[in-house]
Each structure stands twice: as structure tokens, then as C-alpha cells.
């Protein structure tokens, strides 16, 4: 918070950090699970490094990349709400804090339920998108 202050830059930084690390870990995990035959196949076909990356590695790592995106969506959703509470000028986090300050616990619970439903909708959307990409 000291480097970025309280505001939009802090939120973007927190979301970016969470996204980068979750995606990096799933891609590395996917790379460890790759069959060594891909490397042998690229060598046999005299593929250039660019061709190997473009046609073999990206195709083989696509499930890991998409899983990383889905995980990042969930993590980012968990980070965005408290980060937006720091900014306290608008958004769902602001409405929760405002309802808490006014002791309007019914409104606060409603906002929490809205956040949960939006998170579920994001996850369903991401899983359907991943399923469509895997089917092709």
C-alpha cells in the first residue's frame, strides 16, 4: 500500500500478482506432466523452436493454461472485493462497509450473497468456456 497508495493502481497490482502466480504455477505443473515424446517428435520432424512452441507445446499446455485462467478468476474475485473496500468510494465492497456502518445487516448480507452469486456465475462461465475449448 505504501508503494501504490490506496486506489485503482493498488487493485490492479494485487490482481496482476495473483493472476501471474496462479497461471505460472499451473503452466509449470502442466510442463512437468508433458510426455517426453513431444520433444522427440519435434526433433524427428526438424521443427524450429518457434514451430515446437506454437504447434506442440501450446496445444499440449492448453488445458493447464485454461485451468490457470479459471483459478486466476476465482482468486482475483476474492482479491477484488477486499481491495475495493480499501478504496471505499464505490462498488460492492463499499456497499458492504456502508451497510455495516449503518447497522443494516440485511443489506450487508444481500451484498455478500450478490458477490457469491457473481462468483458462481464467473466460475460457471469459465468452466463452460474451458469445456468448449477442450472439445474443439
Amino acid at each position: 500500500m505504501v508503494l501504490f497508495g490506496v486506489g485503482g493502481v493498488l487493485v490492479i497490482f494485487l490482481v496482476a500478482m495473483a493472476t501471474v502466480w496462479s497461471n505460472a504455477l499451473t503452466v509449470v505443473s502442466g510442463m512437468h506432466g508433458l510426455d517426453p515424446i513431444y520433444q522427440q517428435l519435434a526433433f524427428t520432424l526438424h521443427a524450429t523452436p518457434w514451430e515446437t512452441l506454437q504447434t506442440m507445446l501450446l496445444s499440449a499446455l492448453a488445458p493447464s493454461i485454461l485451468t490457470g485462467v479459471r483459478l486466476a478468476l476465482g482468486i482475483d474475485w476474492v482479491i477484488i472485493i477486499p481491495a475495493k473496500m480499501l478504496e471505499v468510494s464505490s462498488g460492492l465492497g463499499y456497499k458492504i462497509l456502508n451497510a455495516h456502518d449503518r447497522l443494516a445487516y440485511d443489506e450487508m448480507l444481500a451484498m455478500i450473497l450478490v458477490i457469491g452469486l457473481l462468483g458462481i456465475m464467473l466460475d460457471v462461465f469459465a468452466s463452460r468456456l474451458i469445456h468448449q475449448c477442450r472439445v474443439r
Side-chain angles (χ1 to χ4, degrees), residues 61-82:
L61 291 175
S64 296
I65 292 169
L66 292 173
T67 300
V69 169
R70 183 176 178 199
L71 282 172
L73 264 175
I75 293 169
D76 291 345
W77 187 245
V78 169
I79 288 174
I80 284 174
I81 300 302

Side-chain angles (χ1 to χ4, degrees), residues 38-105:
Y38 286 113
Q39 187 177 10
Q40 295 169 358
L41 182 62
F43 179 75
T44 302
L45 294 174
H46 302 290
T48 64
W50 176 250
E51 290 171 337
T52 304
L53 175 71
Q54 186 179 9
T55 58
M56 290 185 192
L57 285 179
L58 286 180
S59 298
L61 291 175
S64 296
I65 292 169
L66 292 173
T67 300
V69 169
R70 183 176 178 199
L71 282 172
L73 264 175
I75 293 169
D76 291 345
W77 187 245
V78 169
I79 288 174
I80 284 174
I81 300 302
K84 290 298 278 183
M85 284 183 179
L86 294 173
E87 194 174 331
V88 290
S89 61
S90 65
L92 292 172
Y94 171 75
K95 289 187 182 206
I96 289 173
L97 287 178
N98 190 21
H100 179 268
D101 290 343
R102 293 183 293 117
L103 301 177
Y105 296 117

Side-chain angles (χ1 to χ4, degrees), residues 1-135:
M1 283 179 39
V2 174
L3 285 173
F4 300 106
V6 178
V9 177
L10 175 66
V11 174
I12 291 170
F13 173 75
L14 291 173
V15 168
M17 289 302 293
T19 302
V20 165
W21 287 110
S22 66
N23 282 325
L25 290 175
T26 55
V27 168
V28 167
S29 174
M31 288 180 77
H32 284 295
L34 280 180
D35 196 355
I37 199 151
Y38 286 113
Q39 187 177 10
Q40 295 169 358
L41 182 62
F43 179 75
T44 302
L45 294 174
H46 302 290
T48 64
W50 176 250
E51 290 171 337
T52 304
L53 175 71
Q54 186 179 9
T55 58
M56 290 185 192
L57 285 179
L58 286 180
S59 298
L61 291 175
S64 296
I65 292 169
L66 292 173
T67 300
V69 169
R70 183 176 178 199
L71 282 172
L73 264 175
I75 293 169
D76 291 345
W77 187 245
V78 169
I79 288 174
I80 284 174
I81 300 302
K84 290 298 278 183
M85 284 183 179
L86 294 173
E87 194 174 331
V88 290
S89 61
S90 65
L92 292 172
Y94 171 75
K95 289 187 182 206
I96 289 173
L97 287 178
N98 190 21
H100 179 268
D101 290 343
R102 293 183 293 117
L103 301 177
Y105 296 117
D106 54 339
E107 291 177 27
M108 190 170 75
L109 182 62
M111 288 297 115
I112 292 171
L113 290 175
V114 166
I115 289 170
L117 288 174
L118 287 173
I120 290 170
M121 288 173 27
L122 269 173
D123 187 57
V124 167
F125 173 73
S127 65
R128 286 186 180 171
L129 184 66
I130 288 171
H131 181 70
Q132 273 187 336
C133 290
R134 285 185 180 170
V135 169

